[in-house]
Amino acid sequence: MADKPAAKASPKKPAPASEEPRTFEPKYNWMNKSRQWGMRVTPGKAGLKLGDLNTGIYGEVPMHWQDQSRNPRGAIARRGMPPVGYSVRDKADLWADSAADLYEEAIQRRWAPATDVPWDTIEPLPDDVEHAVCQVCTELVSYANVDIETITGWQHQMSYGYHEVKQYLATASFDAARHYECFRKRALANGGGMGLEGPGMVNRMVLESRGGWTEAVVYLLLLRGTFTLTLYRYLLRHAHNEAERVIYSHALEDKARHVSYGLDHLKYAIAHVDDQRQIVGTLIAIGEGGMARDFRDPVLGEALAIIFAGGVKNAGGRGMDGFRALMRDFLDTYFAHCRWLDLPRDPSRMPAPLNEFVAA
């Protein structure tokens, strides 16, 4: 007779949960840890602004930030936190006294290209003018992309002790994303399309800056930023419709903040770092050479001449006169910025073809 299969063991029932809840004895030791308890900040007429928080120990911004963690300024560091490895830890390498105010302004003046630009006001333009507008927009999209990559590439390397600058630069990178968006939309919104990529010498110079954030600021904001600001002003004067007027006016406000931060940072760096004045002067000379090589390519100048003349027919005369006026205004503004930084330039020594646009 076959053996009967062995009976399966019945599964064990889980032990009944304890009727008594686990006791937890809070210690509240963390409540005794504060560098300055009782500090109170109050909003002013414009609300509670970022700069208003810099009171007492919370307004102490050291020249060098020792902490390598993400510890917020004014908080008590926790021992044993692994270092993040920030490379920008000296105040002079990123600071601008205007950063907190520029952050507030950027937040208050934010805009959305999808809804704030009256796209329905765009009407057909002559093909030559539309080609020129699309070519300029292509160049501006390229500028904006370099802004995004450069700012975000350096921002994460800046220590949290200088949060005002990090917060402002977050708005600047978002401004650049908006510019990328709106100029690409303008190129595609009226039966045109993207044009020819620019020579990109300054783009490469900015993106490959390895000497620190200050070097990037010289190329990105003092040189390229001043030119872009001037370009927006001229495009606003020659806008073809309300959509373009809204785009250029908002972009102009955004870029003015970027250049303001750049100038304030360079001024601070020159004042607080030995030999920085000479270093920035050398960088400026290198940057001028890069810009000069870009302007040897005729595409942007010709496209702008068509816009300023209202077509190809008068581009060689009235249009090029407008382009030369733009370049003179750019250089005049640039020279004024350099003088403010106590780095005056000799207009007669500008590299070709920039020297052709120096005002007599």
Side-chain angles (χ1 to χ4, degrees), residues 67 71 76-81:
D67 195 295
N71 185 38
I76 298 173
R78 183 185 292 268
R79 298 186 62 181
M81 296 299 290

Side-chain angles (χ1 to χ4, degrees), residues 80-95:
M81 296 299 290
V84 176
Y86 298 111
S87 63
V88 184
R89 300 169 62 196
D90 287 331
K91 186 177 182 181
D93 289 341
L94 77 166
W95 188 257

Side-chain angles (χ1 to χ4, degrees), residues 6-26:
K8 293 182 179 180
S10 58
K12 293 182 179 180
K13 294 182 179 181
S18 173
E19 299 274 341
E20 296 290 332
R22 183 180 177 184
T23 59
F24 174 69
E25 294 293 337

Side-chain angles (χ1 to χ4, degrees), residues 158-170:
M158 299 174 179
S159 63
Y160 272 68
Y162 310 111
H163 63 262
E164 294 91 341
V165 174
K166 289 175 71 75
Q167 287 179 254
Y168 167 66
L169 290 177

